[in-house]
Amino acid sequence: MYTFLNYLSYALYPPLYLAGPIMTFNDYLWQHRQPMLISGRAKALYFIRLVASMLTMEFILHFMYVVAIKDTRAWNGATPAQISMIGFWNLIIVWLKLLIPWRFFRLWALMDGVEVPENMVRCMANNYSTLGFWRSWHRSYNLWIIRYIYIPLGGSKRVLVNMVLVFTFVALWHDLTFRLLAWGWLVSLFVVPEVLAAYFLPATKYGSEPWYRHVCAAGGVLNVLMMMSANLVGFVIGTDGMNFFLQQLLGTGKGLAFLAVACAMLFVGVQLMFEYRYVLAGLLTVPYTNEFEPPKRAELQVKFLVVGGGISGLACAVALRRIGHKVVVLEADRTLDTQLLGGCRMAPNLVKILYHWGLHDKLAPIVIKSQMINLMSFHTGECLGPHVWDEEMLRETQGEFMFAHVRHIECISEFDIDMFALNLFYNFGSRNHQYADLRRLLYDTAVSLGADIRLNTPVASIDPDNQSVTLLSGQILTADVIIGADGAYGLARGLITDEHPAPHQFVMYSTTISKKAIMADRDLRWLYDQPYRSMFSWFGNGRAVLGFPLGGKEEFALFVYGPEDGFESNWTEPAPLDGMRKCLASSEMRLQKLGELATHASCVPVQDFKALEEEEWVHESGRLLLIGEAAHPYPPGAIQTCAMAIEDGAVLAKLFSHLRSADQITSFLYAFESLRLNRCTNVCTKEFGDLYFMTLPPGPQQEGRDNHFRGRRDRGLNVLDAESAEEETPQWVEIKEVFGYDAEDEADNWWQEWGLLRERAAGRADGIGEELPSIFVQHQVGV
């Protein structure tokens, strides 16, 4: 591989030899050994983009003489506004002058079947971050610089010093002139305010404050002015010309007045950039507010008895109370604080439902965004590859990813490499312990909506035929519908099936570790000293670990998967720490240190229950329904455990919002099963597949997995990147199906496609036509 002939081939490759984008040697040689499949459509679209850029350049040069004015310095007598426009449009021309050859040579490489990184991924005028600007400007060169200069110098451990060294090198790489050296040093200086702002005003602490966005916009204005100044010095007018510009702007009354107006306009422009990114991410302001139409309330309001006050039971209570039904929840726990705390990954299909329920304001203070995942070797500590996420993830999923504290209640062939890693990556973190308990949030919401939640109320038996529940105290309660949300070992599931799970091979230890203790250890600080807020996944032989920062109480969550050891119990019982540490005994040193820092843990079995089949979610009486872990148990720590539980509540409420007659109840319960069965079964299968993928024993599959990640790492790529930027990969398709899924929309679709037909067939069509406009509106806004 590393031969002189290959080196010459790389160095003299015609599309990249003179002015093309930069790619690493490993990436170049890899693509020659495994050629990319780049469609003709992708090449044609890229050609159209190149032609559009060239026509734009011709138009500007034909009608604007700013280059001639700059070259002859014919700006004497110009107003401050005119001088500023001369500088701005010269920068636009510099941008186009570089963009066109880069796109031409990249198109040449694409025609040859070589996928090289794209430079200038966004318009020059669409930047408010100094760091973001340089990451996207000469993007391919930036990737090369990070790999071969920035990281070897120490990376984020010495950000400012390394930034000066890097930009000095970049200036000398362009040309050996004082003007470019001044440009490099100015860029390094102008990075400092953004770095300091991120340190003193972190989004993790202040991101939910109403003033935070405006402070960020003001900082964006400063960044724009500094970036323009540095590039004017380096590539347009030099230091002398810049001195003249500054004298005109700062030395005259008209100049200061213009600067004030320009700053105000830039402030508005930066706000538009924020909004533009939200639009691209599918995060428009509307879904983040409580300004939704109220949910459709059922004409006939019936009584539900919910057995179990875990995540699924409380979500069910919230959803049903929103549409007017009476809800009583029976929970055996005396308080909400009897279970051990642990980390919880909240997928976007869960979060969008909580937003639709108007809980955005209560969620906002408790979440922070995860920006990167590091895939690690459990035994050696080798980083198999990192992935820094960008806006495409949000565009495709149309949601958000979160971490939160949760109190656990309900027990619970080849693998697709990219989808597994994408699964791990989707997450946010909590940062405010006041709201850090997802169960508490659902409980408070249900109570505020009028649900009757009875703690310390254990159930002795359930009689679906008589629609009654007998409490341990002897009291008998009746209802129109009974919801079994008491978990995989609860009474409700036992009425429908006596299937027991297969003997388990794995257990999972769950713990949280103080950030203060981690930061006190020199070997562990890197968990927090990453350039981006990161999650970690360690792959091992029969063992695996997931780790992620929680914030709030400033803790680090740890899920440790290992072979069955006899210490497994349930979420309420503390497990011996020696068991977890024994599981980590063969791991890298840093994991062993984390195990030593843990002060508590719970240990639960990873049990694989046989999936319930059609007509097994609903009791033969037609009045008892299983939801949550009672219907579809998941492996502990799975990203979709809470998501599926809350989806259940949302779908059930959507269906029962159309209740007009008691004889609809049974058909709605079976409709719920029809909507949820395949969805939950497929997701559960994938979750177990992910776990076994993480714990592959040594062999061809394990080597293929690790080498796949190493290959992308060595090519300087993010480990989850698609092979072709223009093609939609199967992994992205699955993301949209799993994480972009909208449970409430699916329930609405069922009603419009099948529910209305059934109502007409049953002779209950009167008045249904009046519902259609309301249903349509709800479907559009996602209520």
Side-chain angles (χ1 to χ4, degrees), residues 8 69 86 99 164 205 219 228 236 241 482 509 542 572 584 587 643 736 767:
L8 286 179
I69 295 172
I86 291 169
L99 177 71
V164 172
K205 186 175 182 180
M228 290 179 65
V236 181
I482 300 173
Y509 286 91
T572 65
L584 295 172
S587 69
K736 290 188 288 187

Side-chain angles (χ1 to χ4, degrees), residues 406-481:
V406 64
R407 285 173 165 77
H408 303 282
I409 301 298
E410 301 159 319
C411 301
I412 59 170
S413 77
E414 291 285 335
F415 297 115
D416 186 288
I417 294 174
D418 291 326
M419 192 57 213
F420 162 76
L422 290 166
N423 241 349
L424 290 179
F425 186 78
Y426 296 152
N427 52 76
F428 277 60
S430 72
R431 68 172 181 84
N432 186 331
H433 190 60
Q434 181 182 359
Y435 294 98
D437 186 342
L438 178 60
R439 190 188 182 200
R440 170 65 68 177
L441 173 61
L442 293 172
Y443 173 87
D444 290 342
T445 304
V447 170
S448 69
L449 290 170
D452 180 4
I453 301 180
R454 304 182 186 181
L455 300 178
N456 194 23
T457 309
V459 173
S461 64
I462 302 172
D463 184 355
D465 295 314
N466 293 312
Q467 303 159 39
S468 66
V469 169
T470 301
L471 305 182
L472 200 60
S473 64
Q475 182 183 3
I476 298 177
L477 303 177
T478 60
D480 299 289
V481 185

Side-chain angles (χ1 to χ4, degrees), residues 152-297:
L153 286 173
S156 60
K157 294 180 181 178
R158 301 186 306 163
V159 175
L160 299 180
V161 173
N162 290 342
M163 201 71 72
V164 172
L165 295 175
V166 164
F167 276 103
T168 299
F169 171 82
V170 172
L172 296 174
W173 178 79
H174 279 87
D175 198 3
L176 185 58
T177 65
F178 174 75
R179 184 175 76 176
L180 285 170
L181 279 174
W183 165 82
W185 295 335
L186 281 174
V187 169
S188 303
L189 177 64
F190 292 163
V191 166
V192 173
E194 186 170 343
V195 173
L196 293 178
Y199 179 80
F200 288 109
L201 294 172
T204 57
K205 186 175 182 180
Y206 301 106
S208 61
E209 298 293 339
W211 51 264
Y212 188 76
R213 170 170 170 153
H214 304 299
V215 171
C216 290
V221 172
L222 180 62
N223 282 340
V224 170
L225 294 176
M226 292 189 296
M227 285 187 286
M228 290 179 65
S229 300
N231 286 302
L232 284 171
V233 169
F235 299 101
V236 181
I237 57 178
T239 53
D240 293 339
M242 194 64 201
N243 285 334
F244 176 79
F245 272 37
L246 291 176
Q247 288 173 8
Q248 296 300 307
L249 282 175
L250 303 178
T252 65
K254 288 183 178 180
L256 291 172
F258 169 77
L259 183 61
V261 173
C263 287
M265 295 300 101
L266 285 173
F267 182 83
V268 175
V270 172
Q271 295 278 11
L272 288 175
M273 293 181 210
F274 291 164
E275 205 64 28
Y276 173 71
R277 283 156 176 74
Y278 294 153
V279 171
L280 287 182
L283 305 178
L284 291 168
T285 304
V286 172
Y288 282 1
T289 71
N290 295 329
E291 297 175 3
F292 295 106
E293 283 196 13
K296 177 183 180 297
R297 296 179 70 84

Side-chain angles (χ1 to χ4, degrees), residues 91-110:
L91 289 176
I92 291 291
I93 290 170
V94 168
W95 171 62
L96 287 168
K97 185 170 67 175
L98 295 173
L99 177 71
I100 290 169
W102 280 339
R103 284 196 173 167
F104 172 79
F105 287 111
R106 185 171 188 268
L107 177 62
W108 186 354
L110 290 174

Side-chain angles (χ1 to χ4, degrees), residues 5-186:
L5 186 62
N6 285 340
Y7 168 73
L8 286 179
S9 171
Y10 166 70
L12 301 178
Y13 181 56
L16 310 180
Y17 177 62
L18 289 177
I22 295 171
M23 64 189 306
T24 64
F25 174 81
N26 289 343
D27 191 6
Y28 169 80
L29 204 62
W30 184 289
Q31 293 195 43
H32 274 277
R33 292 185 174 187
Q34 300 184 13
M36 299 289 186
L37 296 177
I38 304 173
S39 69
R41 179 176 178 273
K43 297 172 185 176
L45 290 174
Y46 199 80
F47 173 75
I48 293 172
R49 293 174 64 192
L50 172 62
V51 172
S53 300
M54 296 174 67
L55 292 176
T56 302
M57 182 70 151
E58 283 298 315
F59 180 85
I60 293 175
L61 290 177
H62 185 76
F63 290 102
M64 299 183 184
Y65 310 120
V66 292
V67 176
I69 295 172
K70 178 261 297 184
D71 290 342
T72 60
R73 297 181 178 267
W75 47 54
N76 288 328
T79 66
Q82 292 169 336
I83 291 174
S84 297
M85 288 301 100
I86 291 169
F88 175 76
W89 283 104
N90 267 288
L91 289 176
I92 291 291
I93 290 170
V94 168
W95 171 62
L96 287 168
K97 185 170 67 175
L98 295 173
L99 177 71
I100 290 169
W102 280 339
R103 284 196 173 167
F104 172 79
F105 287 111
R106 185 171 188 268
L107 177 62
W108 186 354
L110 290 174
M111 300 299 289
D112 193 39
V114 176
E115 170 83 13
V116 298
E118 174 77 286
N119 289 330
M120 296 180 169
V121 294
R122 62 166 58 96
C123 175
M124 184 203 79
N126 182 22
N127 286 280
Y128 56 81
S129 164
T130 306
L131 293 171
F133 174 79
W134 292 115
R135 290 191 190 110
S136 62
W137 176 266
H138 198 167
R139 182 166 171 263
S140 63
Y141 188 40
N142 179 69
L143 294 173
W144 187 91
I145 287 286
I146 289 174
R147 177 176 176 79
Y148 293 111
I149 298 180
Y150 183 72
I151 291 178
L153 286 173
S156 60
K157 294 180 181 178
R158 301 186 306 163
V159 175
L160 299 180
V161 173
N162 290 342
M163 201 71 72
V164 172
L165 295 175
V166 164
F167 276 103
T168 299
F169 171 82
V170 172
L172 296 174
W173 178 79
H174 279 87
D175 198 3
L176 185 58
T177 65
F178 174 75
R179 184 175 76 176
L180 285 170
L181 279 174
W183 165 82
W185 295 335
L186 281 174

Side-chain angles (χ1 to χ4, degrees), residues 593-670:
K593 284 193 169 188
L594 286 172
E596 292 298 325
L597 291 176
T599 59
H600 64 276
S602 57
C603 179
V604 293
V606 179
Q607 295 186 309
D608 192 354
F609 288 80
K610 179 184 176 182
L612 295 182
E613 298 178 356
E614 190 174 356
E615 297 187 1
E616 289 188 333
W617 288 34
V618 182
H619 188 266
E620 59 186 12
S621 66
R623 292 304 176 101
L624 168 65
L625 172 71
L626 303 184
I627 67 169
E629 297 271 341
H632 42 78
Y634 285 81
I639 190 173
Q640 287 291 336
T641 301
C642 292
M644 292 297 104
I646 290 180
E647 280 188 9
D648 284 350
V651 170
L652 188 66
K654 274 292 184 179
L655 294 173
F656 275 85
S657 68
H658 305 291
L659 189 68
R660 309 173 74 209
S661 170
D663 57 7
Q664 291 177 287
I665 291 176
T666 299
S667 66
F668 281 171
L669 296 183
Y670 279 107

Side-chain angles (χ1 to χ4, degrees), residues 335-644:
T335 71
L336 296 179
D337 303 317
T338 58
Q339 283 73 35
L340 299 175
L341 277 172
C344 170
R345 294 178 292 159
M346 297 167 62
N349 45 304
L350 178 160
V351 174
K352 69 178 68 176
I353 292 173
L354 298 183
Y355 282 176
H356 291 172
W357 290 352
L359 299 180
H360 171 262
D361 291 343
K362 295 181 179 180
L363 275 178
I366 69 173
V367 297
I368 56 175
K369 184 176 181 180
S370 176
Q371 301 162 308
M372 182 172 73
I373 182 172
N374 280 297
L375 307 183
M376 316 289 293
S377 169
F378 178 88
H379 302 287
T380 67
E382 174 193 5
C383 181
L384 300 174
H387 186 96
V388 178
W389 213 250
D390 58 19
E391 295 166 356
E392 185 177 357
M393 176 268 293
L394 292 176
R395 289 201 300 271
E396 295 296 334
T397 61
Q398 299 292 301
E400 288 195 299
F401 309 93
M402 301 180 178
F403 280 154
H405 285 89
V406 64
R407 285 173 165 77
H408 303 282
I409 301 298
E410 301 159 319
C411 301
I412 59 170
S413 77
E414 291 285 335
F415 297 115
D416 186 288
I417 294 174
D418 291 326
M419 192 57 213
F420 162 76
L422 290 166
N423 241 349
L424 290 179
F425 186 78
Y426 296 152
N427 52 76
F428 277 60
S430 72
R431 68 172 181 84
N432 186 331
H433 190 60
Q434 181 182 359
Y435 294 98
D437 186 342
L438 178 60
R439 190 188 182 200
R440 170 65 68 177
L441 173 61
L442 293 172
Y443 173 87
D444 290 342
T445 304
V447 170
S448 69
L449 290 170
D452 180 4
I453 301 180
R454 304 182 186 181
L455 300 178
N456 194 23
T457 309
V459 173
S461 64
I462 302 172
D463 184 355
D465 295 314
N466 293 312
Q467 303 159 39
S468 66
V469 169
T470 301
L471 305 182
L472 200 60
S473 64
Q475 182 183 3
I476 298 177
L477 303 177
T478 60
D480 299 289
V481 185
I482 300 173
I483 303 297
D486 51 346
Y489 293 100
L491 292 172
R493 184 182 175 96
L495 291 173
I496 293 179
T497 178
D498 56 1
E499 291 278 353
H500 296 287
H504 60 280
Q505 304 174 21
F506 294 97
V507 296
M508 188 199 82
Y509 286 91
S510 175
T511 187
T512 56
I513 302 164
S514 164
K515 177 183 177 181
K516 183 178 180 181
I518 290 174
M519 296 302 291
D521 189 304
R522 184 176 303 175
D523 294 325
L524 298 180
R525 290 176 192 164
W526 69 283
L527 293 170
Y528 284 94
D529 289 344
Q530 299 289 315
Y532 302 93
R533 191 176 301 109
S534 183
M535 176 184 171
F536 303 85
S537 174
W538 285 267
F539 301 5
N541 176 16
R543 290 167 171 79
V545 176
L546 296 175
F548 44 92
L550 288 176
K553 290 182 65 178
E554 298 200 323
E555 293 178 331
F556 190 84
L558 213 60
F559 295 160
V560 180
Y561 295 89
E564 185 271 330
D565 59 6
F567 292 127
E568 60 271 22
S569 180
N570 54 51
W571 291 111
T572 65
E573 298 294 329
L577 290 171
D578 287 344
M580 184 178 69
R581 290 164 183 165
K582 183 179 179 181
C583 186
L584 295 172
S586 61
S587 69
E588 60 147 314
M589 176 191 66
R590 292 171 298 191
L591 278 177
Q592 294 186 45
K593 284 193 169 188
L594 286 172
E596 292 298 325
L597 291 176
T599 59
H600 64 276
S602 57
C603 179
V604 293
V606 179
Q607 295 186 309
D608 192 354
F609 288 80
K610 179 184 176 182
L612 295 182
E613 298 178 356
E614 190 174 356
E615 297 187 1
E616 289 188 333
W617 288 34
V618 182
H619 188 266
E620 59 186 12
S621 66
R623 292 304 176 101
L624 168 65
L625 172 71
L626 303 184
I627 67 169
E629 297 271 341
H632 42 78
Y634 285 81
I639 190 173
Q640 287 291 336
T641 301
C642 292
M644 292 297 104

